[in-house]
Amino acid sequence: MNGLGTVGIYPEALLRSWDAAKGHGTRLDTSEIAQGILAAANDGPGVINLSLGSDRRELVIEQAVYEAVRKGSLVVAASGNDGDEGSPLGYPASLPHVLTIGATNREDGAATFSSRSRFVDLAAPGQEIQVATAIGKGYQLSNGTSFAAPLVSGAAAWVWSVRPELDATQLFEVMRRSARDVGAPG
């Protein structure tokens, strides 16, 4: 908190937001998600955070992710919050070339709700994260990999700003290789 609100991991980052939520903010439209990914990719290489997911593989979103990667962007996605239900694969997090993020708890271990699979590359704090609320214009504590992924996205954007010679694939590997394993190996 900075007296005005929360401060992100890289406050100087240039942010572009694309809201894929329709109506009351509970339904995500596949075409809107794909359009947002493509709009970000068309602005030039950058970090694209996807704090969303589904258990269905949507071809239009998959193609948009691959186009973003082809154009030089790093795509970061939340792994999902189904760790307590067997961690079914989530998309776009389980797509190749996506930096997939799980959540850690306050004890720096894997959060029980965080989806686990061979596709999870990193984990970041995702339990009891202070987030702004749309209703009441206040803050509340929330859990989810959707809050962990932006922390990694911000960190990646910062690394890219101090190492602009890296391409997205190299940045992907810098992020993965600089992490420390907090749980059982893997």
Side-chain angles (χ1 to χ4, degrees):
M1 296 291 289
N2 65 356
L4 301 173
T6 59
V7 177
I9 196 162
Y10 181 31
E12 293 83 21
L14 171 63
L15 298 177
R16 293 181 198 100
S17 177
W18 188 277
D19 189 359
K22 297 293 186 185
H24 295 3
T26 58
R27 186 175 70 82
L28 299 178
D29 185 80
T30 300
S31 64
E32 289 288 323
I33 294 167
Q35 287 174 21
I37 294 167
L38 293 172
N42 289 335
D43 277 346
V47 179
I48 299 173
N49 182 78
L50 299 174
S51 286
L52 51 82
S54 172
D55 59 353
R56 293 182 317 189
R57 198 169 182 165
E58 299 285 349
L59 184 59
V60 67
I61 293 174
E62 187 171 346
Q63 289 173 332
V65 166
Y66 291 147
E67 180 67 10
V69 170
R70 188 186 72 73
K71 289 186 171 191
S73 288
L74 175 67
V75 178
V76 179
S79 69
N81 302 319
D82 296 320
D84 294 330
E85 285 102 41
S87 298
L89 291 182
Y91 298 94
S94 297
L95 296 175
H97 313 294
V98 170
L99 187 63
T100 302
I101 312 303
T104 59
N105 58 28
R106 288 205 170 268
E107 291 76 40
D108 204 22
T112 57
F113 62 81
S114 183
S115 294
R116 297 158 176 79
S117 76
R118 67 184 189 278
F119 297 102
V120 175
D121 297 295
L122 298 171
Q127 186 174 31
E128 297 179 10
I129 302 299
Q130 186 164 320
V131 298
T133 62
I135 301 170
K137 298 180 182 173
Y139 295 90
Q140 70 183 29
L141 296 179
S142 294
N143 299 329
T145 59
S146 287
F147 307 116
L151 293 173
V152 173
S153 294
W158 179 81
V159 169
W160 221 346
S161 73
V162 297
R163 302 271 316 272
E165 75 281 2
L166 297 176
D167 65 26
T169 303
Q170 292 168 321
L171 178 60
F172 187 109
E173 284 304 311
V174 164
M175 297 304 293
R176 286 185 68 239
R177 292 179 188 205
S178 63
R180 98 186 135 73
D181 208 335
V182 296

